């Protein structure tokens, strides 16, 4: 089988210098994240990987509210990880390791995590399927994972963006050695995220069409290792 394509340097440079991580630090949306994390329960006492963690909101949430034993936030952007670490200093929850690495070639041995989570990140990997193959590899035999990935019509302007229907995502995941055990909707960004009229109208429109299950903004997909 050919080796997965590594991320293009330009993709990493985009996240390091152009992506809105500073805005992400200021505007967490913990209830939206928790809605996606809940299918991974029970979380207490587990070891969890947050894949493409950005500034680390989900990683901190599982460490604090989820009471995991240990959380690892992995991202290939040093800018994201610097903000994640800075924003986590002095907190009292479970230990968090911030790891710089490529989501399609994870720097971990086989079968070391009980849980894996990824919010809005795997669709940006240069080879989406190998991201899921890596999740299957690092999960323990009874391990569970959740990924939150976009519907076919979503565009966010990031360098690589795989969009698909729920059936399409399911096919990719199942071909990577994982079994899908549930799928839910993610409503998308908060309507009041910023008040630019065009953006506001777009988010209202997305909420309206997202009441139809197959037209949801993103899918929260739970899977287990086969
Ligand atoms: C849309 S952001 C989501 C960040 C975070 N999960 C959140 O919800 O705020 C996508 C993230 O994926 C990371 N990413 C993209 N391609 C990656 C790759 N090949 N390996 C690791 N991280 C990657 C980016 O650096 C960025 O932090």
């Amino acid at each position: 089988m050919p080796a997965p394509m590594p991320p293009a340097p330009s993709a990493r440079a985009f996240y390091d210098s152009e992506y809105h991580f500073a805005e992400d630090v200021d505007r967490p949306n913990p209830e939206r994240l928790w809605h996606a994390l809940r299918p991974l329960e029970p979380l207490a006492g587990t070891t969890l990987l947050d894949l493409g963690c950005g500034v680390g909101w989900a990683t901190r949430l599982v460490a604090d509210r989820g009471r995991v034993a240990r959380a690892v936030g992995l991202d290939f952007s040093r800018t994201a990880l610097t903000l994640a670490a800075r924003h986590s200093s002095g907190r009292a929850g479970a230990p968090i390791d911030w790891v710089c690495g490529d989501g399609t070639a994870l720097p971990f041995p086989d079968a070391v995590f009980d849980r894996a989570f990824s919010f809005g990140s795997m669709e940006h990997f240069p080879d989406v399927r190998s991201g899921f193959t890596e999740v299957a590899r690092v999960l323990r035999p009874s391990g569970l994972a959740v990924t939150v990935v976009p519907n076919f019509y979503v565009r966010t302007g990031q360098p690589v963006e795989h969009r698909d229907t729920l059936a399409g995502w399911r096919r990719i995941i199942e071909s990577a050695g994982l079994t899908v055990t549930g799928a839910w909707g993610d409503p998308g960004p908060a309507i009041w995220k910023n008040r630019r009229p065009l953006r506001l109208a777009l988010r209202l429109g997305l909420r309206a069409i997202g009441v139809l299950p197959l037209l949801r903004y993103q899918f929260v997909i739970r899977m287990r290792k086969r």
Side-chain angles (χ1 to χ4, degrees):
M1 191 187 289
M5 277 221 307
S10 57
R12 190 183 297 231
F14 167 85
Y15 288 101
D16 275 337
S17 55
E18 290 179 49
Y19 189 72
H20 50 70
F21 289 123
E23 199 180 301
D24 292 354
V25 169
D26 283 343
R27 299 206 176 116
N29 196 338
E31 293 321 312
R32 182 180 176 203
L33 284 174
W34 191 250
H35 165 75
L37 281 162
R38 264 212 320 255
L40 287 177
E41 286 191 303
L43 283 164
T46 62
T47 303
L48 181 143
L49 170 66
D50 182 7
L51 185 53
C53 63
V55 297
W57 280 112
T59 331
R60 281 186 293 276
L61 201 57
V62 291
D64 298 343
R65 199 192 293 189
R67 293 181 291 114
V68 297
R70 176 171 160 253
V72 175
L74 176 135
D75 206 285
F76 75 168
S77 162
R78 291 206 178 273
T79 302
L81 293 174
T82 301
L83 286 167
R86 190 182 302 156
H87 211 63
S88 309
S89 68
R91 47 172 291 285
I96 298 178
D97 296 325
W98 302 109
V99 176
C100 190
D102 171 11
T104 63
L106 293 174
F108 308 113
D110 297 353
V112 286
F113 292 101
D114 305 300
R115 301 284 184 269
F117 180 73
S118 187
F119 194 105
S121 297
M122 296 183 79
E123 69 270 28
H124 304 300
F125 293 178
D127 177 348
V128 175
R129 187 174 172 276
S130 67
F132 288 105
T133 310
E134 282 295 84
V135 166
R137 183 181 69 74
V138 300
L139 274 182
R140 295 203 168 102
S142 56
L144 289 178
V146 159
T147 188
V148 182
V149 282
N151 210 335
F152 67 90
Y153 62 80
V154 173
R155 279 169 177 69
T156 64
Q158 292 169 61
V160 178
E161 207 155 45
H162 182 97
R163 303 171 297 264
D164 221 319
T165 58
L166 180 57
W169 283 112
R170 197 184 275 268
R171 268 193 299 276
I172 296 172
I173 291 169
E174 302 257 347
S175 75
L178 294 154
T179 299
V180 173
T181 61
W184 298 267
D186 164 61
I191 290 175
W192 295 107
K193 189 174 173 197
N194 65 52
R195 288 164 196 236
R196 268 174 275 158
L198 206 61
R199 290 260 152 203
L200 203 62
L202 186 66
R203 283 195 294 273
L204 277 168
L206 289 173
R207 277 295 164 96
I209 60 171
V211 296
L212 300 171
L214 290 178
L215 289 181
R216 285 189 172 137
Y217 183 79
Q218 300 197 106
F219 303 112
V220 176
I221 305 176
R222 183 180 61 198
M223 62 211 92
R224 68 173 163 73
K225 188 162 170 161
R226 210 159 33 231

